[in-house]
Amino acid sequence: MKNIVIFASGFGSNFQAMIDAIKHGKLHATIVGLICDRSGAYAIERARINGIPVALFERSASPSKVEMDKAILNQCQGWQADWLVLAGYMRLLSPMLIQAYPRHIVNIHPSLLPKYRGLDAVGQALNQKDSIYGLTIHYVDEGMDTGEIIVQVPFETDQLDRDHIEKRLHQLEHQTYPAVINKLIVEESV
Ligand code: GAR
Protein backbone atom coordinates (compact mmCIF):
# COMPACT_ATOMS: atom_id res chain seq x y z
CA MET A 1 0.00 0.00 0.00
CA LYS A 2 1.36 3.42 -0.98
CA ASN A 3 1.42 6.30 1.47
CA ILE A 4 0.10 9.65 0.37
CA VAL A 5 0.32 13.02 2.09
CA ILE A 6 -2.34 15.60 1.25
CA PHE A 7 -1.45 19.30 1.12
CA ALA A 8 -4.43 21.64 1.61
CA SER A 9 -4.97 25.28 2.60
CA GLY A 10 -8.72 25.59 2.88
CA PHE A 11 -12.03 23.79 2.74
CA GLY A 12 -10.54 20.44 1.82
CA SER A 13 -13.36 18.98 -0.27
CA ASN A 14 -10.81 17.25 -2.52
CA PHE A 15 -9.11 15.89 0.59
CA GLN A 16 -12.52 14.54 1.65
CA ALA A 17 -12.96 12.97 -1.81
CA MET A 18 -9.68 11.06 -1.27
CA ILE A 19 -10.80 9.90 2.19
CA ASP A 20 -14.14 8.73 0.77
CA ALA A 21 -12.52 6.98 -2.21
CA ILE A 22 -10.28 5.01 0.18
CA LYS A 23 -13.30 4.06 2.33
CA HIS A 24 -15.13 2.82 -0.79
CA GLY A 25 -12.17 0.81 -2.06
CA LYS A 26 -11.61 3.07 -5.06
CA LEU A 27 -8.25 4.44 -3.98
CA HIS A 28 -5.70 1.90 -2.83
CA ALA A 29 -3.56 4.08 -0.62
CA THR A 30 -3.18 5.27 2.94
CA ILE A 31 -3.37 8.96 3.79
CA VAL A 32 -0.57 9.22 6.31
CA GLY A 33 -0.90 12.93 6.98
CA LEU A 34 -2.19 16.37 6.09
CA ILE A 35 0.14 19.30 5.54
CA CYS A 36 -1.73 22.56 6.05
CA ASP A 37 -0.54 26.18 6.04
CA ARG A 38 -3.64 27.82 7.58
CA SER A 39 -4.74 27.16 11.15
CA GLY A 40 -8.38 28.00 10.34
CA ALA A 41 -8.64 25.62 7.40
CA TYR A 42 -11.62 23.26 7.54
CA ALA A 43 -9.32 20.57 6.05
CA ILE A 44 -7.83 20.27 9.56
CA GLU A 45 -11.23 19.39 11.00
CA ARG A 46 -11.71 16.76 8.29
CA ALA A 47 -8.36 15.23 9.26
CA ARG A 48 -9.34 15.22 12.94
CA ILE A 49 -12.68 13.54 12.23
CA ASN A 50 -10.90 10.84 10.24
CA GLY A 51 -7.96 10.30 12.60
CA ILE A 52 -5.40 11.59 10.11
CA PRO A 53 -2.31 13.31 11.57
CA VAL A 54 -1.94 17.02 10.77
CA ALA A 55 1.22 19.11 10.50
CA LEU A 56 0.56 22.84 10.46
CA PHE A 57 3.21 25.00 8.79
CA GLU A 58 2.13 28.62 8.95
CA ARG A 59 4.22 31.08 6.99
CA SER A 60 4.52 33.42 9.98
CA ALA A 61 6.06 30.68 12.13
CA SER A 62 9.09 30.11 9.93
CA PRO A 63 12.10 32.36 9.22
CA SER A 64 12.05 31.54 5.50
CA LYS A 65 10.18 29.59 2.87
CA VAL A 66 13.13 27.25 2.36
CA GLU A 67 13.34 26.52 6.10
CA MET A 68 9.63 25.82 6.16
CA ASP A 69 9.80 23.52 3.14
CA LYS A 70 12.76 21.69 4.72
CA ALA A 71 10.56 21.06 7.76
CA ILE A 72 7.71 19.95 5.48
CA LEU A 73 10.05 17.55 3.65
CA ASN A 74 11.26 16.20 6.96
CA GLN A 75 7.66 15.62 8.02
CA CYS A 76 6.75 13.87 4.75
CA GLN A 77 9.79 11.63 5.04
CA GLY A 78 8.90 10.92 8.66
CA TRP A 79 5.46 9.81 7.49
CA GLN A 80 7.18 7.69 4.81
CA ALA A 81 5.24 9.38 2.04
CA ASP A 82 5.40 7.91 -1.45
CA TRP A 83 3.22 10.57 -3.09
CA LEU A 84 2.47 14.22 -2.27
CA VAL A 85 -1.02 15.23 -3.39
CA LEU A 86 -1.79 18.96 -3.54
CA ALA A 87 -5.49 19.60 -3.06
CA GLY A 88 -6.11 23.34 -2.86
CA TYR A 89 -2.67 24.09 -1.39
CA MET A 90 -2.12 27.74 -2.25
CA ARG A 91 1.67 27.97 -1.99
CA LEU A 92 4.45 27.17 -4.42
CA LEU A 93 6.79 24.41 -3.25
CA SER A 94 10.55 25.03 -3.04
CA PRO A 95 12.75 23.30 -5.66
CA MET A 96 14.40 21.28 -2.87
CA LEU A 97 11.05 19.75 -1.88
CA ILE A 98 10.07 19.09 -5.51
CA GLN A 99 13.40 17.42 -6.26
CA ALA A 100 12.95 15.07 -3.30
CA TYR A 101 9.85 13.52 -4.93
CA PRO A 102 10.50 13.39 -8.70
CA ARG A 103 7.22 12.81 -10.59
CA HIS A 104 5.55 12.01 -7.28
CA ILE A 105 3.94 15.39 -6.55
CA VAL A 106 0.58 16.04 -8.19
CA ASN A 107 -1.66 19.11 -8.22
CA ILE A 108 -5.21 19.87 -9.30
CA HIS A 109 -6.01 23.24 -10.83
CA PRO A 110 -9.45 24.60 -11.80
CA SER A 111 -8.69 25.61 -15.38
CA LEU A 112 -7.62 24.07 -18.64
CA LEU A 113 -3.91 24.82 -18.34
CA PRO A 114 -1.93 26.53 -19.74
CA LYS A 115 -4.85 28.95 -19.56
CA TYR A 116 -5.39 30.81 -16.28
CA ARG A 117 -2.49 29.82 -14.07
CA GLY A 118 -2.30 30.99 -10.47
CA LEU A 119 -4.97 32.47 -8.24
CA ASP A 120 -8.70 32.60 -9.00
CA ALA A 121 -8.59 30.67 -12.26
CA VAL A 122 -12.40 30.65 -12.45
CA GLY A 123 -12.52 34.44 -12.06
CA GLN A 124 -9.90 34.82 -14.78
CA ALA A 125 -11.94 32.62 -17.15
CA LEU A 126 -15.17 34.47 -16.29
CA ASN A 127 -13.49 37.78 -17.09
CA GLN A 128 -12.80 36.42 -20.58
CA LYS A 129 -16.44 35.27 -20.86
CA ASP A 130 -15.22 31.77 -21.71
CA SER A 131 -17.82 29.13 -22.44
CA ILE A 132 -15.42 26.19 -21.88
CA TYR A 133 -14.21 25.53 -18.34
CA GLY A 134 -12.46 22.56 -16.79
CA LEU A 135 -9.79 21.14 -14.55
CA THR A 136 -6.22 20.00 -14.98
CA ILE A 137 -4.33 17.41 -12.95
CA HIS A 138 -0.59 17.76 -13.44
CA TYR A 139 2.80 16.88 -12.01
CA VAL A 140 4.31 19.70 -9.98
CA ASP A 141 7.46 21.34 -11.27
CA GLU A 142 9.15 24.52 -10.15
CA GLY A 143 6.83 26.86 -12.06
CA MET A 144 3.35 28.05 -11.19
CA ASP A 145 0.94 25.45 -12.64
CA THR A 146 3.41 24.59 -15.41
CA GLY A 147 4.15 20.89 -14.77
CA GLU A 148 3.44 18.06 -17.20
CA ILE A 149 -0.27 17.55 -17.69
CA ILE A 150 -1.70 14.15 -16.68
CA VAL A 151 -5.43 14.68 -17.30
CA GLN A 152 -7.76 17.50 -18.32
CA VAL A 153 -11.55 17.44 -18.04
CA PRO A 154 -13.38 20.18 -19.95
CA PHE A 155 -17.03 21.13 -19.80
CA GLU A 156 -19.11 23.66 -21.67
CA THR A 157 -21.62 26.04 -20.17
CA ASP A 158 -23.55 29.11 -21.17
CA GLN A 159 -24.31 29.91 -17.51
CA LEU A 160 -21.52 32.35 -16.77
CA ASP A 161 -22.17 32.29 -13.07
CA ARG A 162 -19.41 31.60 -10.55
CA ASP A 163 -21.50 29.44 -8.21
CA HIS A 164 -22.73 27.26 -11.05
CA ILE A 165 -19.26 26.80 -12.54
CA GLU A 166 -17.55 26.13 -9.22
CA LYS A 167 -20.18 23.57 -8.24
CA ARG A 168 -19.72 21.71 -11.54
CA LEU A 169 -15.94 21.95 -11.23
CA HIS A 170 -15.94 20.53 -7.72
CA GLN A 171 -18.15 17.61 -8.77
CA LEU A 172 -15.72 16.80 -11.58
CA GLU A 173 -12.69 17.26 -9.33
CA HIS A 174 -14.07 14.89 -6.69
CA GLN A 175 -14.77 12.20 -9.30
CA THR A 176 -11.54 12.60 -11.20
CA TYR A 177 -8.78 13.34 -8.70
CA PRO A 178 -8.95 10.15 -6.56
CA ALA A 179 -9.28 8.02 -9.72
CA VAL A 180 -6.18 9.61 -11.26
CA ILE A 181 -4.14 9.20 -8.08
CA ASN A 182 -5.21 5.57 -7.89
CA LYS A 183 -4.21 5.01 -11.54
CA LEU A 184 -0.76 6.53 -10.93
CA ILE A 185 -0.26 4.33 -7.89
CA VAL A 186 -1.45 1.17 -9.64
CA GLU A 187 0.70 1.85 -12.72
CA GLU A 188 3.73 2.29 -10.50
CA SER A 189 3.14 -1.07 -8.83
CA VAL A 190 2.97 -3.20 -12.02
C1 GAR B 1 -10.03 23.28 -5.92
O1 GAR B 1 -11.03 23.74 -6.79
C2 GAR B 1 -8.69 23.22 -6.62
O2 GAR B 1 -8.81 22.94 -7.99
C3 GAR B 1 -8.16 24.61 -6.40
O3 GAR B 1 -8.56 24.94 -5.10
C4 GAR B 1 -9.80 24.30 -4.81
C5 GAR B 1 -9.69 23.67 -3.44
O4 GAR B 1 -10.93 23.22 -3.03
N1 GAR B 1 -6.75 24.65 -6.55
C6 GAR B 1 -6.09 25.72 -7.01
O5 GAR B 1 -6.65 26.75 -7.34
C7 GAR B 1 -4.60 25.53 -7.11
N2 GAR B 1 -3.99 26.59 -7.83
P1 GAR B 1 -11.04 22.26 -1.76
O6 GAR B 1 -10.23 22.91 -0.62
O7 GAR B 1 -12.49 22.22 -1.43
O8 GAR B 1 -10.48 20.93 -2.14
Side-chain angles (χ1 to χ4, degrees):
M1 193 72 92
K2 296 290 179 180
N3 289 338
I4 64 180
V5 170
I6 306 286
F7 285 54
S9 299
F11 188 55
S13 68
N14 281 283
F15 173 33
Q16 187 69 51
M18 299 288 170
I19 293 169
D20 295 344
I22 290 171
K23 279 189 189 151
H24 295 124
K26 293 182 177 169
L27 171 55
H28 299 97
T30 304
I31 301 174
V32 290
L34 171 74
I35 299 284
C36 186
D37 63 336
R38 290 190 191 149
S39 58
Y42 187 65
I44 294 174
E45 180 65 8
R46 295 183 194 274
R48 193 192 60 74
I49 290 167
N50 290 280
I52 295 170
V54 178
L56 181 64
F57 290 95
E58 285 188 294
R59 192 187 309 210
S60 56
S62 182
S64 76
K65 182 177 172 63
V66 172
E67 285 309 311
M68 193 171 100
D69 279 3
K70 271 188 195 160
I72 290 175
L73 174 58
N74 202 31
Q75 179 64 77
C76 291
Q77 289 172 334
W79 280 331
Q80 301 189 314
D82 299 301
W83 289 84
L84 310 187
V85 175
L86 278 51
Y89 187 67
M90 304 313 255
R91 285 175 64 85
L92 279 179
L93 303 185
S94 304
M96 166 271 305
L97 180 50
I98 294 167
Q99 285 155 17
Y101 284 92
R103 286 176 79 79
H104 281 70
I105 310 179
V106 183
N107 183 40
I108 188 162
H109 184 76
S111 79
L112 298 169
L113 292 172
K115 277 181 134 183
Y116 312 129
R117 296 182 172 129
L119 290 177
D120 193 18
V122 173
Q124 293 183 54
L126 275 169
N127 283 340
Q128 298 300 317
K129 301 203 174 359
D130 276 6
S131 57
I132 310 272
Y133 291 77
L135 64 92
T136 303
I137 295 169
H138 64 94
Y139 292 109
V140 172
D141 69 5
E142 291 169 22
M144 162 117 48
D145 303 319
T146 52
E148 182 187 326
I149 291 171
I150 303 168
V151 165
Q152 291 190 302
V153 183
F155 68 94
E156 197 166 358
T157 182
D158 53 11
Q159 268 182 267
L160 299 189
D161 166 73
R162 182 184 280 272
D163 280 353
H164 167 76
I165 291 165
E166 287 186 340
K167 198 170 170 208
R168 182 84 186 102
L169 260 174
H170 273 121
Q171 282 171 348
L172 287 173
E173 288 187 343
H174 301 160
Q175 284 167 17
T176 312
Y177 205 14
V180 168
I181 298 299
N182 191 57
K183 186 164 182 284
L184 291 172
I185 287 173
V186 168
E187 280 173 0
E188 184 180 50
S189 311
V190 292

